[in-house]
Amino acid sequence: MQTPLRVEIDRVDKFFGPTQVLKQISLRVEPGEVLVICGPSGSGKSTLLRCINGLESIDAGSVRILETEPARAAGGRRGPSTGMVFQQFNLFPHMTVLQNLILAPVKVQKRRRSEAVAVARKHLERVGIGDKENAFPTTLSGGQQQRAAIARALCMEPSIMLFDEPTSALDPEMIKEVLDVMRGLAREGMTMFVVTHEMGFAREVADRVIFMDQGEIREVAEPVEFFTNPKEERTKRFLGNVLSH
């Protein structure tokens, strides 16, 4: 793992055509902090993660990951200090789990294969599927596939992990095994941005919870304050809907 880094997001705007999906987003996240981002569909949560990771360009403002890199202004890209886990697992079905995990370290980071294999095995054990390295993704449960995807991201040795609704495609009984891995990462001090509707996880693990709506950050608070005393009426309605299910 790389040295922990601070993330500073300053007045970021993002447009898709004429539609503004992020509006003047400003945020500072300290090393080791776990930030849970929640909000209704279409509020800009996933787009924010993709802008942090460089998968989407930004139209104004900057994303800064301090101590090793200069500011990345509009249009720039991020380096490998971030790892991202998506809703869908995106594992190559024709490759074994181990082959999926070593592909980027060998091809992108130019590591020796033996080193990449050792790192991959370490992270497969870390997420609890060390016995699945020779399995093909289609033979695994959804929870196992998502844990493999987390291990794949960890193989790039990121300082910051971005999770985009990592349990939304899973059956209910598989959600806990993925959240347990994420809890472990939080205990180890990994800086994490987590887009999720798992409010129990947010209460337990988050250092802060952010509520987004219509491309804006509407409320930021520590979990106890967020869930027991939300300030914004829009936050109260959202929590009423989510917590009633």
Coordinates of all heavy atoms in Angstrom, one line a residue, residues 119-162:
V119 N 1.6 -11.1 -4.5 CA 0.7 -10.1 -4.0 C -0.8 -10.5 -4.2 O -1.6 -10.3 -3.3 CB 1.0 -8.7 -4.8 CG1 -0.1 -7.7 -4.5 CG2 2.4 -8.2 -4.4
A120 N -1.1 -11.1 -5.4 CA -2.5 -11.5 -5.6 C -2.9 -12.5 -4.6 O -4.0 -12.5 -4.0 CB -2.6 -12.0 -7.0
R121 N -2.1 -13.5 -4.3 CA -2.4 -14.5 -3.3 C -2.6 -13.9 -1.9 O -3.5 -14.3 -1.2 CB -1.4 -15.6 -3.3 CG -1.4 -16.5 -4.5 CD -0.3 -17.5 -4.6 NE -0.5 -18.4 -5.7 CZ 0.4 -19.2 -6.3 NH1 1.7 -19.0 -5.9 NH2 0.1 -20.0 -7.2
K122 N -1.8 -12.9 -1.6 CA -2.0 -12.3 -0.3 C -3.3 -11.6 -0.2 O -4.0 -11.7 0.8 CB -0.9 -11.2 -0.1 CG -1.0 -10.4 1.1 CD 0.1 -9.3 1.2 CE -0.3 -8.1 0.2 NZ 0.6 -7.0 0.4
H123 N -3.8 -10.9 -1.3 CA -5.0 -10.2 -1.2 C -6.2 -11.2 -1.3 O -7.3 -10.9 -0.8 CB -5.1 -9.1 -2.3 CG -4.2 -8.0 -2.0 ND1 -4.2 -7.3 -0.8 CD2 -3.1 -7.4 -2.7 CE1 -3.3 -6.3 -0.8 NE2 -2.6 -6.4 -1.9
L124 N -6.1 -12.3 -2.0 CA -7.1 -13.3 -2.1 C -7.4 -13.8 -0.7 O -8.5 -14.1 -0.2 CB -6.8 -14.4 -3.1 CG -7.0 -14.0 -4.5 CD1 -6.5 -15.1 -5.4 CD2 -8.4 -13.7 -4.9
E125 N -6.3 -14.1 0.1 CA -6.4 -14.5 1.5 C -7.1 -13.4 2.3 O -7.9 -13.7 3.2 CB -5.1 -14.9 2.0 CG -4.4 -16.2 1.5 CD -5.2 -17.4 1.9 OE1 -5.9 -17.4 2.9 OE2 -5.0 -18.4 1.2
R126 N -6.7 -12.2 2.0 CA -7.2 -11.1 2.8 C -8.7 -10.9 2.7 O -9.4 -10.6 3.6 CB -6.5 -9.8 2.3 CG -6.7 -8.5 3.0 CD -6.0 -7.4 2.3 NE -6.0 -6.1 3.0 CZ -5.4 -5.0 2.6 NH1 -4.8 -5.0 1.4 NH2 -5.5 -3.9 3.3
V127 N -9.2 -11.3 1.5 CA -10.7 -11.1 1.3 C -11.4 -12.5 1.5 O -12.6 -12.6 1.2 CB -11.0 -10.6 -0.1 CG1 -10.4 -9.2 -0.3 CG2 -10.6 -11.5 -1.2
G128 N -10.7 -13.5 1.9 CA -11.3 -14.8 2.3 C -11.6 -15.7 1.2 O -12.4 -16.7 1.4
I129 N -10.9 -15.6 0.0 CA -11.1 -16.6 -1.1 C -9.8 -17.1 -1.6 O -9.6 -17.3 -2.8 CB -12.0 -16.0 -2.2 CG1 -11.5 -14.7 -2.7 CG2 -13.5 -15.8 -1.7 CD1 -12.2 -14.2 -4.0
G130 N -8.9 -17.3 -0.7 CA -7.6 -17.8 -1.1 C -7.6 -19.2 -1.8 O -6.7 -19.5 -2.6
D131 N -8.7 -19.9 -1.6 CA -8.8 -21.2 -2.3 C -9.5 -21.1 -3.7 O -9.7 -22.2 -4.3 CB -9.7 -22.2 -1.4 CG -11.1 -21.6 -1.2 OD1 -11.3 -20.4 -1.2 OD2 -12.0 -22.4 -0.9
K132 N -9.7 -19.9 -4.2 CA -10.4 -19.8 -5.4 C -9.5 -19.2 -6.5 O -10.0 -18.9 -7.6 CB -11.6 -18.8 -5.3 CG -12.6 -19.3 -4.2 CD -13.3 -20.6 -4.7 CE -14.4 -21.0 -3.7 NZ -15.1 -22.3 -4.1
E133 N -8.2 -19.3 -6.4 CA -7.3 -18.6 -7.3 C -7.4 -19.2 -8.7 O -7.2 -18.6 -9.7 CB -5.9 -18.6 -6.9 CG -5.2 -19.9 -6.8 CD -3.7 -19.7 -6.5 OE1 -3.3 -19.2 -5.4 OE2 -2.9 -20.1 -7.4
N134 N -7.7 -20.5 -8.8 CA -7.7 -21.2 -10.1 C -9.1 -21.4 -10.6 O -9.3 -22.0 -11.7 CB -7.1 -22.6 -10.0 CG -5.6 -22.5 -9.7 OD1 -4.9 -21.7 -10.3 ND2 -5.0 -23.3 -8.8
A135 N -10.1 -20.8 -9.9 CA -11.5 -20.9 -10.4 C -11.8 -19.8 -11.4 O -11.1 -18.8 -11.5 CB -12.4 -20.7 -9.2
F136 N -12.7 -20.1 -12.3 CA -13.2 -19.1 -13.2 C -14.3 -18.3 -12.6 O -15.1 -18.9 -11.8 CB -13.6 -19.8 -14.5 CG -12.4 -20.3 -15.4 CD1 -12.0 -21.6 -15.2 CD2 -11.8 -19.4 -16.3 CE1 -10.9 -22.0 -15.9 CE2 -10.7 -19.9 -17.0 CZ -10.2 -21.2 -16.8
P137 N -14.5 -17.0 -12.9 CA -15.5 -16.2 -12.3 C -16.9 -16.7 -12.3 O -17.6 -16.6 -11.3 CB -15.3 -14.9 -13.0 CG -13.9 -14.8 -13.5 CD -13.6 -16.2 -13.8
T138 N -17.3 -17.4 -13.4 CA -18.6 -17.9 -13.5 C -19.0 -19.0 -12.6 O -20.1 -19.3 -12.4 CB -18.9 -18.3 -15.0 OG1 -17.9 -19.3 -15.4 CG2 -18.9 -17.2 -15.9
T139 N -17.9 -19.6 -12.0 CA -18.2 -20.7 -11.0 C -18.3 -20.1 -9.6 O -18.6 -20.9 -8.7 CB -17.0 -21.7 -11.0 OG1 -15.8 -21.1 -10.5 CG2 -16.8 -22.2 -12.5
L140 N -18.1 -18.8 -9.4 CA -18.2 -18.2 -8.1 C -19.5 -17.6 -7.8 O -20.3 -17.2 -8.7 CB -17.1 -17.1 -7.9 CG -15.7 -17.5 -8.2 CD1 -14.8 -16.3 -8.0 CD2 -15.2 -18.7 -7.3
S141 N -19.9 -17.5 -6.5 CA -21.1 -16.7 -6.2 C -20.9 -15.2 -6.4 O -19.7 -14.8 -6.6 CB -21.4 -17.0 -4.7 OG -20.4 -16.3 -3.9
G142 N -21.9 -14.5 -6.4 CA -21.8 -13.0 -6.6 C -20.9 -12.4 -5.5 O -20.1 -11.5 -5.8
G143 N -21.1 -12.8 -4.3 CA -20.3 -12.3 -3.2 C -18.8 -12.6 -3.4 O -17.9 -11.8 -3.2
Q144 N -18.5 -13.9 -3.9 CA -17.1 -14.2 -4.1 C -16.5 -13.4 -5.3 O -15.4 -13.0 -5.2 CB -17.0 -15.7 -4.4 CG -17.3 -16.6 -3.2 CD -17.4 -18.1 -3.5 OE1 -17.8 -18.4 -4.6 NE2 -17.1 -18.9 -2.6
Q145 N -17.3 -13.2 -6.3 CA -16.9 -12.4 -7.4 C -16.5 -11.0 -7.0 O -15.5 -10.4 -7.4 CB -17.9 -12.4 -8.6 CG -18.0 -13.7 -9.3 CD -18.9 -13.6 -10.5 OE1 -18.6 -13.0 -11.5 NE2 -20.1 -14.3 -10.4
Q146 N -17.4 -10.4 -6.2 CA -17.1 -9.0 -5.7 C -15.9 -9.0 -4.8 O -15.1 -8.0 -4.9 CB -18.4 -8.5 -5.0 CG -18.3 -7.0 -4.8 CD -18.2 -6.1 -6.0 OE1 -17.1 -6.2 -6.7 NE2 -19.2 -5.3 -6.3
R147 N -15.7 -10.0 -4.0 CA -14.5 -10.0 -3.2 C -13.2 -10.2 -4.1 O -12.2 -9.6 -3.8 CB -14.6 -11.1 -2.2 CG -15.5 -10.8 -1.0 CD -15.5 -11.8 0.1 NE -16.3 -13.0 -0.2 CZ -16.1 -14.2 0.3 NH1 -15.2 -14.4 1.3 NH2 -16.9 -15.2 0.0
A148 N -13.4 -11.0 -5.2 CA -12.3 -11.1 -6.1 C -12.0 -9.7 -6.7 O -10.8 -9.3 -7.0 CB -12.6 -12.1 -7.2
A149 N -13.1 -8.9 -7.0 CA -12.9 -7.6 -7.6 C -12.2 -6.7 -6.7 O -11.4 -5.8 -7.1 CB -14.2 -7.1 -8.1
I150 N -12.5 -6.8 -5.4 CA -11.9 -6.0 -4.4 C -10.4 -6.3 -4.3 O -9.5 -5.5 -4.3 CB -12.5 -6.1 -3.0 CG1 -14.0 -5.5 -3.0 CG2 -11.7 -5.5 -1.9 CD1 -14.8 -5.9 -1.8
A151 N -10.1 -7.6 -4.3 CA -8.7 -8.1 -4.3 C -8.0 -7.6 -5.5 O -6.8 -7.2 -5.4 CB -8.6 -9.6 -4.2
R152 N -8.6 -7.6 -6.6 CA -8.0 -7.1 -7.9 C -7.6 -5.6 -7.7 O -6.5 -5.2 -8.1 CB -8.9 -7.3 -9.1 CG -8.3 -6.8 -10.4 CD -9.3 -6.9 -11.5 NE -10.6 -6.3 -11.2 CZ -11.7 -6.4 -12.0 NH1 -11.6 -7.2 -13.1 NH2 -12.8 -5.8 -11.7
A153 N -8.5 -4.8 -7.2 CA -8.2 -3.4 -6.9 C -7.0 -3.3 -6.0 O -6.1 -2.4 -6.2 CB -9.4 -2.7 -6.5
L154 N -7.0 -4.1 -4.9 CA -5.9 -4.0 -3.9 C -4.6 -4.4 -4.5 O -3.5 -3.9 -4.0 CB -6.3 -4.9 -2.7 CG -7.5 -4.4 -1.9 CD1 -7.8 -5.5 -0.8 CD2 -7.1 -3.1 -1.2
C155 N -4.6 -5.2 -5.5 CA -3.3 -5.7 -6.1 C -2.5 -4.5 -6.7 O -1.3 -4.6 -7.0 CB -3.6 -6.7 -7.2 SG -3.9 -8.4 -6.5
M156 N -3.2 -3.4 -7.0 CA -2.5 -2.2 -7.6 C -1.9 -1.4 -6.4 O -1.3 -0.3 -6.7 CB -3.5 -1.4 -8.4 CG -4.0 -2.1 -9.6 SD -2.8 -2.6 -10.8 CE -2.6 -1.0 -11.7
E157 N -2.1 -1.9 -5.2 CA -1.5 -1.2 -4.0 C -2.0 0.3 -3.9 O -1.1 1.2 -3.8 CB 0.0 -1.3 -4.0 CG 0.6 -2.7 -4.2 CD 0.5 -3.5 -2.9 OE1 -0.6 -4.1 -2.6 OE2 1.5 -3.5 -2.1
P158 N -3.2 0.5 -4.0 CA -3.7 1.9 -3.9 C -3.7 2.4 -2.4 O -3.7 1.7 -1.5 CB -5.2 1.8 -4.3 CG -5.6 0.4 -3.9 CD -4.4 -0.4 -4.1
S159 N -3.7 3.7 -2.3 CA -3.8 4.4 -1.0 C -5.3 4.7 -0.7 O -5.6 4.9 0.4 CB -3.0 5.7 -1.0 OG -1.6 5.4 -1.0
I160 N -6.1 4.8 -1.8 CA -7.5 5.2 -1.7 C -8.3 4.2 -2.4 O -8.0 3.9 -3.6 CB -7.7 6.6 -2.2 CG1 -6.8 7.6 -1.5 CG2 -9.1 7.1 -2.2 CD1 -6.5 8.9 -2.3
M161 N -9.4 3.7 -1.8 CA -10.3 2.8 -2.4 C -11.7 3.5 -2.6 O -12.2 4.1 -1.7 CB -10.5 1.5 -1.6 CG -9.3 0.6 -1.7 SD -9.1 -0.3 -3.2 CE -10.5 -1.4 -3.1
L162 N -12.2 3.3 -3.8 CA -13.5 3.9 -4.2 C -14.5 2.8 -4.5 O -14.2 1.9 -5.3 CB -13.3 4.8 -5.4 CG -12.2 5.8 -5.5 CD1 -12.1 6.5 -6.8 CD2 -12.4 6.9 -4.4

